[in-house]
Amino acid sequence: MKYLCLIVFLAIVIAQNSSYLGVKAVSSDGFVSRKGVQFILNGKPFYANGFNAYWLAYEATDPTTRFKITYVFQNATIHGLTIARTWGFRDGGYRALQIAPGFYDEKTFQGLDFAIAEAKRLGIKMIITFVNNYSDFGGRKQYVDWAKTTGQNVSSDDDFYTNPLVKQYYKNHVKTMVNRVNTFTKVAYKDEPTIMGWELMNEPQCRADPSGKTLMAWINEMAPYVKLVDSKHLLSTGLEGFYGDSSPQRKSSLNPVAANVLGTDFIANHNLDAIDFASIHSYPDLWFPNLDEKSRLDFLRKWLVDHLEDAQNILRKPLILGEFGKPTNIPGYTQAQRDAVFNATFDTIYESAQKGGPAAGALFWHVISDGMTNFKDPLSIVLSENSTTVNIITEESRKLGLIRGKGKLSKT
């Protein structure tokens, strides 16, 4: 058996290496752009089903585990999934991408190169996030700690948004990322159509200023900067979608109470020219642990419908549900409950897309490859298991593909 596994592994490696010889010829499409509330690809509306795989660069740093990226992408294409969201950061720590401000581990960067190259080869678009709100994989905390070691007067993770040196660290990282030349494809990230877009941060928050002014000022500074150094790609915030003072009615009726101190504002944070599409996440099980299952599903539908309405009528931009899922560790969990969450989500997305609305797709959290116990958690999904949830995912991909095939542009 071990010799058979070795043969299979070698076959994958050989196939990967030979494929890059013709990677440009294999790539059949261009940059995703925006027109009104729709994404456009090759002159047609672009609606797509997708997934999160934050671990891509981490696993691809080791050449002997790169087959996991290939396997996940191959399974994704089998199920019609065409957008992958992943981290463009790992700040400090084991297998760090950015070892220290402005210093990068070439092996880890080559891991991200590989993930992008494989996505290109297999026809998958990517959304890449520049930094984390949380301390996982470094995040804002690591940036502030770096500044502190230089003698900067910083004491809170929220100083990330205001300290001049920390802000420069962030800009330097953005510039390094977009100017990176992929060692497999020989294409700079800023010129790579496989990258659909960037996110400023994963779930930005600023508890130090619940009014939202601090985070808004940071977005107003950083979003135009990203577009300055990379004018070809789309950009979003990475927000969860909580409402702020610009939408008092939505804030009081939709936000979990705990979200009102996070300093975010769905409308204001997306309502500037440098932001191309709206980002929301959805985790009713985590936000409302005391609600019953029906109430959570009702909230999920309203959360999506109301955000889509605002994307259509106020922002006039496309919207991507960047994260959603159903954790298996919720008391009383059943597979039918997970299926109900995916059905409710996909039905709402499809209804909007079918009408030429702003819903561009949903990216479930998260996919892992077979045997990846180190990244398995209550939200992970293995596509090759072909569960009832996976069948629902595949059907949504098929339906969105049919809309894309019709190629009708919205009048908005």
Side-chain angles (χ1 to χ4, degrees), residues 112-113 116 177-178 180 187-192 195 233:
L112 184 56
D113 290 347
I116 294 170
M177 285 286 290
V178 303
R180 168 73 177 183
V187 177
Y189 286 12
K190 65 183 178 183
D191 299 321
E192 177 53 73
I195 298 172
H233 287 107

Side-chain angles (χ1 to χ4, degrees), residues 322-389:
E323 291 185 23
F324 78 99
K326 177 71 176 181
T328 58
N329 61 348
I330 296 297
Y333 169 85
T334 66
Q335 183 68 37
Q337 290 176 349
R338 175 175 273 188
D339 290 350
V341 167
F342 276 69
N343 273 320
T345 300
F346 288 152
D347 286 350
T348 306
I349 296 294
Y350 179 74
E351 183 178 352
S352 170
Q354 191 178 35
K355 297 175 182 177
L363 318 179
F364 67 86
W365 184 277
H366 63 119
V367 72
I368 60 173
S369 189
D370 302 61
M372 285 183 62
T373 55
N374 53 330
F375 288 102
K376 186 175 183 179
D377 63 34
L379 285 160
S380 56
I381 291 177
V382 179
L383 293 172
S384 60
E385 291 179 353
N386 291 317
S387 65
T388 50
T389 303

Side-chain angles (χ1 to χ4, degrees), residues 210-212 216 242-251 264-271 310 314-315:
S211 74
M216 188 70 251
F242 301 128
Y243 285 91
D245 291 343
S246 69
S247 313
Q249 186 174 356
R250 292 277 203 236
K251 181 178 179 180
T264 67
D265 189 319
F266 172 72
I267 297 298
N269 296 160
H270 288 109
N271 203 15
D310 291 339
I314 301 175
L315 299 175

Side-chain angles (χ1 to χ4, degrees), residues 301-316:
R301 294 187 185 95
K302 182 170 176 55
W303 178 257
L304 295 176
V305 168
D306 286 1
H307 279 87
L308 288 169
E309 181 180 292
D310 291 339
Q312 174 82 45
N313 298 327
I314 301 175
L315 299 175
R316 302 185 185 278

